[in-house]
Coordinates of all heavy atoms in Angstrom, one line a residue:
A288 N -29.4 -32.6 -90.4 CA -29.2 -32.1 -91.8 C -30.1 -30.9 -92.2 O -29.6 -29.9 -92.8 CB -29.5 -33.3 -92.8
A289 N -31.3 -30.9 -91.8 CA -32.2 -29.8 -92.2 C -32.2 -28.7 -91.1 O -31.7 -28.9 -90.0 CB -33.6 -30.3 -92.3
Y290 N -32.7 -27.6 -91.5 CA -32.6 -26.4 -90.5 C -33.5 -26.6 -89.3 O -34.7 -27.0 -89.5 CB -33.0 -25.1 -91.3 CG -32.9 -23.9 -90.4 CD1 -31.7 -23.2 -90.3 CD2 -34.0 -23.4 -89.7 CE1 -31.6 -22.1 -89.5 CE2 -33.9 -22.3 -88.9 CZ -32.7 -21.7 -88.7 OH -32.6 -20.6 -87.9
A291 N -33.0 -26.3 -88.2 CA -33.9 -26.3 -86.9 C -33.2 -25.5 -85.9 O -32.1 -25.7 -85.5 CB -34.1 -27.7 -86.4
G292 N -33.9 -24.4 -85.5 CA -33.3 -23.6 -84.4 C -34.4 -22.8 -83.7 O -35.5 -22.6 -84.2
T293 N -34.1 -22.4 -82.4 CA -35.1 -21.6 -81.7 C -34.7 -20.1 -82.0 O -33.7 -19.8 -82.6 CB -35.0 -21.8 -80.2 OG1 -33.7 -21.4 -79.8 CG2 -35.2 -23.3 -79.8
D294 N -35.6 -19.2 -81.5 CA -35.4 -17.8 -81.6 C -34.0 -17.3 -81.2 O -33.5 -16.4 -81.7 CB -36.5 -17.0 -80.9 CG -36.9 -17.6 -79.6 OD1 -36.4 -18.6 -79.2 OD2 -37.7 -16.9 -78.9
E295 N -33.4 -18.0 -80.2 CA -32.1 -17.6 -79.7 C -31.0 -17.7 -80.7 O -30.0 -16.9 -80.6 CB -31.8 -18.4 -78.5 CG -32.5 -18.0 -77.2 CD -32.2 -19.0 -76.0 OE1 -31.1 -19.5 -76.0 OE2 -33.2 -19.1 -75.2
V296 N -31.1 -18.6 -81.6 CA -30.0 -18.8 -82.6 C -30.5 -18.6 -84.0 O -29.8 -18.9 -85.0 CB -29.4 -20.2 -82.5 CG1 -28.8 -20.4 -81.1 CG2 -30.4 -21.3 -82.8
H297 N -31.7 -18.2 -84.2 CA -32.4 -18.2 -85.5 C -31.6 -17.4 -86.6 O -31.1 -16.3 -86.3 CB -33.8 -17.6 -85.4 CG -34.5 -17.6 -86.7 ND1 -34.7 -18.8 -87.4 CD2 -35.1 -16.7 -87.4 CE1 -35.4 -18.6 -88.5 NE2 -35.7 -17.3 -88.5
D298 N -31.5 -18.0 -87.7 CA -30.7 -17.4 -88.8 C -31.7 -17.2 -90.0 O -32.0 -18.2 -90.7 CB -29.6 -18.4 -89.2 CG -28.8 -17.9 -90.4 OD1 -29.2 -17.0 -91.1 OD2 -27.7 -18.4 -90.6
E299 N -32.2 -16.0 -90.1 CA -33.2 -15.7 -91.1 C -32.8 -16.0 -92.5 O -33.6 -16.5 -93.3 CB -33.6 -14.2 -90.9 CG -34.8 -13.8 -91.7 CD -36.2 -14.3 -91.2 OE1 -36.2 -14.8 -90.0 OE2 -37.1 -14.3 -91.9
A300 N -31.6 -15.8 -92.8 CA -31.1 -16.1 -94.2 C -31.2 -17.5 -94.6 O -31.7 -17.9 -95.6 CB -29.7 -15.6 -94.4
E301 N -30.8 -18.4 -93.6 CA -30.9 -19.8 -93.8 C -32.3 -20.3 -93.9 O -32.7 -21.1 -94.8 CB -30.2 -20.6 -92.6 CG -28.7 -20.7 -92.7 CD -28.2 -21.5 -93.9 OE1 -28.7 -22.6 -94.2 OE2 -27.4 -20.9 -94.7
W302 N -33.1 -19.7 -93.1 CA -34.5 -20.0 -93.0 C -35.2 -19.7 -94.3 O -36.0 -20.5 -94.8 CB -35.1 -19.2 -91.9 CG -36.6 -19.3 -91.6 CD1 -37.4 -18.2 -91.7 CD2 -37.4 -20.4 -91.2 NE1 -38.7 -18.6 -91.4 CE2 -38.7 -19.9 -91.1 CE3 -37.1 -21.7 -91.0 CZ2 -39.8 -20.7 -90.7 CZ3 -38.2 -22.5 -90.6 CH2 -39.5 -22.0 -90.5

Side-chain angles (χ1 to χ4, degrees):
Y290 184 84
T293 63
D294 42 353
E295 280 171 33
V296 298
H297 184 54
D298 179 342
E299 189 69 17
E301 279 299 307
W302 174 244

